[in-house]
């Protein structure tokens, strides 16, 4: 089914209304394909597909939901690389590095628009208002989280609570979205608050694990990082250990909450959380 998701994603970003005039894919289309072909774990698509299958959502609708969340996630990556002036992602030049700033802006916009296109042919049109509202709400959270993180370059923070608020917007929102959309498509929206709690906790733990691996690089680029934040707050000796404990706490909480979702719809999120927790112990 992931193959079907990839196929839908590519069809949405390669559309050209006037092929006889353009002659080939535009630079923006090429950049979108280039970025998507770099791969990735497709965590959000997998969460969507698993939750949809658990809840009895039809295969075609599951593919559309999974494609939408992956497109949103990749749009955020392209814009994030541009704003951070990052040169590499997944072992190859970023869209910003390979195609330039202007194309990177347009590419992120194309991926964002394509996410809404992925939902356009959902089988039950009466679901669209709630699905689109949810997509907009989570996208808005990501934008606010990104803006808040960028602001920390000029105005560093030392409060863990503020760090967690930023991460929930930047990472947690798009980890919650695939499961939220599955439940909305299944007509079980009353579970959404619990889904958010689980996914937001997972997002924080997920980001902290990344931060632990990227301390030196983040220090050079003045990026938000939990270890650097704890050091700035005066906990130099125990910063790494405390960051590990915080990450483990959030991952354990994510697994605990996700386990309570019906029909084992949160089982894959539980698996991801436990795997990250094992990485912390191994390190």
């Amino acid at each position: 089914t992931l193959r079907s998701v990839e196929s839908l994603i590519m069809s949405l970003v390669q559309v050209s209304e006037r092929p006889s005039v353009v002659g080939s894919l535009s630079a923006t289309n090429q950049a979108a394909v280039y970025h998507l072909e770099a791969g990735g774990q497709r965590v959000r698509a997998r969460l969507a597909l698993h939750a949809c299958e658990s809840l009895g959502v039809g295969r075609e609708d599951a593919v559309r939901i999974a494609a939408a969340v992956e497109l949103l996630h990749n749009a955020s990556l392209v814009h994030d690389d541009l704003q951070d002036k990052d040169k590499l992602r997944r072992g190859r030049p970023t869209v910003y590095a390979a195609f330039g700033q202007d194309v990177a802006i347009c590419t992120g916009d194309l991926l964002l628009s394509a996410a809404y296109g992925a939902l356009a042919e959902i089988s039950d049109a009466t679901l669209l208002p709630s699905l689109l509202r949810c997509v907009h709400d989570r996208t808005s959270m990501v934008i606010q989280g990104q803006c808040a993180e960028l602001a920390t370059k000029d105005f560093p923070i030392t409060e863990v609570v503020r760090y967690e608020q930023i991460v929930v917007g930047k990472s947690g929102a798009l980890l919650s979205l695939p499961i939220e959309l599955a439940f909305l498509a299944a007509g079980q929206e009353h579970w959404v608050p619990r889904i958010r709690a689980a996914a937001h906790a997972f997002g924080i733990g997920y980001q902290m694990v990344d931060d632990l691996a990227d301390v030196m690089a983040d220090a050079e680029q003045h990026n938000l990082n939990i270890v650097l934040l704890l050091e700035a707050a005066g906990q130099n000796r125990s910063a790494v250990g405390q960051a590990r404990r915080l990450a483990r706490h959030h991952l354990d909480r994510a697994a605990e909450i996700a386990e309570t979702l019906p029909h084992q719809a949160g089982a894959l999120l539980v698996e991801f959380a436990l795997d990250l927790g094992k990485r912390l112990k191994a390190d």
Side-chain angles (χ1 to χ4, degrees), residues 10 43 81 89 101 116 130 134 155 175 185 196 229 257:
M10 288 299 184
V43 166
D81 289 340
R89 178 172 292 279
Q101 175 176 302
Y116 288 90
S130 61
C134 186
F155 304 98
L175 287 164
R196 291 179 190 170
L229 182 151
I257 300 171

Side-chain angles (χ1 to χ4, degrees), residues 63-81:
V63 167
R64 293 181 182 100
I65 289 170
V69 294
E70 274 301 326
L71 284 160
L72 286 169
H73 172 59
N74 281 281
S76 73
L77 295 182
V78 171
H79 283 162
D80 185 59
D81 289 340

Side-chain angles (χ1 to χ4, degrees), residues 23-88:
S24 61
L25 293 178
S26 71
T28 300
N29 297 119
Q30 291 178 42
V33 171
Y34 168 87
H35 172 80
L36 292 166
E37 285 181 340
Q41 299 178 57
R42 300 296 192 249
V43 166
R44 291 146 196 85
R46 291 164 63 191
L47 286 171
L49 292 172
H50 173 81
C52 284
E53 182 179 5
S54 300
L55 296 166
V57 176
R59 181 181 179 278
E60 293 302 317
D61 284 350
V63 167
R64 293 181 182 100
I65 289 170
V69 294
E70 274 301 326
L71 284 160
L72 286 169
H73 172 59
N74 281 281
S76 73
L77 295 182
V78 171
H79 283 162
D80 185 59
D81 289 340
L82 167 62
Q83 290 177 309
D84 290 343
K85 301 296 186 284
D86 286 334
K87 301 293 186 182
L88 290 174

Side-chain angles (χ1 to χ4, degrees), residues 136-146 168-170 172-173 200:
H136 167 68
D137 287 346
R138 298 300 152 260
T139 303
S140 178
M141 283 183 66
V142 173
I143 293 168
Q144 292 174 37
Q146 176 71 356
V168 163
K170 187 174 168 58
H200 291 179

Side-chain angles (χ1 to χ4, degrees), residues 247-267:
R248 193 172 298 116
H249 165 74
H250 286 293
L251 292 170
D252 288 346
R253 176 166 169 73
E256 179 183 343
I257 300 171
E259 281 181 341
T260 68
L261 294 175
H263 309 295
Q264 296 189 311

